[in-house]
Amino acid sequence: MTPGSRLHDPDARPELLDAERILAALSPGARRAIARLEIRAKIDSTNRYLMREAATGAPSGTLCLAECQTAGRGRLGRPWISPFGASLYLSMLWRYSTPPAALGGFSLVAGAVVADVLRRIGAEGLALKWPNDLLWGRRKLGGMLLEVAGEARGPSTLVVGVGINVRMAPDQGRAIDQPWVDLAEVLGGPRVGRNTLAALVADALIDAFERFGREGLTPFLALWAEFDAFRGESVRLLFADREIRGRVLGIASDGALRLDTADGEMRFHAGEVSLRREVEADVGGEGRR
Ligand code: BTN
């Protein structure tokens, strides 16, 4: 058996999600901060579910995980392929007194703290593509989807969804439209169970929600920069109807991407915009790995 085939032994069963095990693996502070923990075998989307629950008064600190999603969502309206037991599908709801507009920077915070969790469990060579695409050797390992609701002057509700490919068989990943990788390959084996991983991610998010509420984006910028995949690179920024070319100068204090363009320095906020290396294709092939 080759190392690759051992990682994808079709008989290997995924560690099923278990609330008791997740709670036991959390820090005491995070355990206190979790108001509600829901684990679903199947759901449309953990993010969509928490946005619905937010509208009916779900408390700050509601955490939802699912074994599979039937309508998993990625950034820019893309689908997030979510086969049973193959990945982590986790969303968390947090309430702030500030206006929704003040929460945009959390997009980078989520990427930085999740990358940091994975580095701490042994994943080397991780990179972030602004704002929060989690890459390994230019292949996608995970991503975050932020959704915000609220009044223009506050309060607001933030739902952060995290998807990490944990152990995905080639068949399961066939529908993914870009090169991808799973944590089993990054770590050289399935070293961390999904319950432990869920607890580590939830712990890090809670810590970040609290610190971001007190101090904003500033304390997270250095961590994000440690994973910056594109600094100094020539890139294209794709909008729905145009593209802008330039060289990445880094991230501004408000989380905007700084680009050196033919018209001078320009800044862009994460929204309906997608970043590509100058030489990178716009769309990947079917299920490339
Ligand atoms: C991206 O496009 O990179 C973001 C992917 C986010 C996927 C996660 S999985 C849990 C949560 N529920 C969703 O429907 N999406 C997010």
Side-chain angles (χ1 to χ4, degrees):
M1 194 185 254
T2 64
S5 63
R6 199 175 321 118
L7 292 182
H8 297 294
D9 175 359
D11 296 331
R13 299 233 169 87
E15 179 191 80
L16 294 181
L17 296 168
D18 177 331
E20 296 297 313
R21 291 177 74 173
I22 293 172
L23 289 170
L26 286 167
S27 69
R31 211 174 299 132
R32 277 195 299 277
I34 292 180
R36 211 165 100 191
L37 168 57
E38 287 194 38
I39 295 181
R40 297 294 179 91
K42 186 166 155 183
I43 201 163
D44 53 353
S45 148
T46 54
N47 257 46
R48 191 183 286 178
Y49 172 68
L50 285 192
M51 288 303 284
R52 287 196 300 265
E53 289 295 290
T56 57
S60 189
T62 301
L63 175 62
C64 176
L65 291 110
E67 294 290 5
C68 73
Q69 301 184 114
T70 54
R73 296 193 294 173
R75 282 189 68 239
L76 307 173
R78 297 181 183 126
W80 187 256
I81 306 299
S82 308
F84 188 93
S87 302
L88 192 72
Y89 315 114
L90 176 154
S91 296
M92 185 141 199
L93 182 164
W94 205 259
R95 294 192 186 271
Y96 287 98
S97 58
T98 47
L103 304 179
F106 202 87
S107 191
L108 279 85
V109 174
V113 302
V114 170
D116 189 46
V117 162
L118 299 180
R119 185 170 61 180
R120 280 192 272 124
I121 60 172
E124 288 170 15
L126 296 179
L128 284 169
K129 184 173 88 157
W130 179 86
N132 55 26
D133 262 4
L134 191 53
L135 306 175
W136 187 76
R138 299 198 183 186
R139 289 146 79 193
K140 181 125 172 169
L141 174 63
M144 281 116 250
L145 178 68
L146 271 73
E147 298 188 65
V148 184
E151 305 295 324
R153 291 164 175 245
S156 48
T157 304
L158 174 63
V159 169
V160 176
V162 179
I164 301 171
N165 303 329
V166 174
R167 193 174 181 284
M168 179 122 63
D171 264 10
Q172 294 178 307
R174 192 143 293 142
I176 300 176
D177 68 354
Q178 60 183 306
W180 59 273
V181 67
D182 63 18
L183 201 54
E185 182 175 344
V186 172
L187 296 176
R191 282 203 236 141
V192 176
R194 288 190 309 145
N195 291 300
T196 305
L197 183 62
L200 291 171
V201 169
D203 233 296
L205 283 179
I206 289 166
D207 207 52
F209 286 137
E210 290 174 343
R211 188 157 191 211
F212 182 81
R214 290 191 308 270
E215 301 172 54
L217 177 59
T218 310
F220 299 95
L221 287 171
L223 183 62
W224 199 94
E226 287 178 32
F227 295 101
D228 190 345
F230 279 55
R231 197 183 179 105
E233 297 243 12
S234 294
V235 296
R236 293 181 296 141
L237 212 50
L238 309 182
F239 296 81
D241 54 349
R242 68 197 162 114
E243 69 174 47
I244 291 180
R245 289 166 191 262
R247 194 173 55 84
V248 176
L249 296 172
I251 304 298
S253 58
D254 63 352
L257 179 75
R258 298 174 52 220
L259 268 198
D260 183 21
T261 73
D263 301 322
E265 180 176 332
M266 294 174 83
R267 295 183 177 205
F268 302 92
H269 289 272
E272 293 302 298
V273 52
S274 171
L275 181 63
R276 297 279 188 282
R277 277 192 177 82
E278 183 71 73
V279 291
E280 210 165 331
D282 290 348
V283 198
E286 277 267 298
R288 286 190 296 142
R289 191 171 177 164

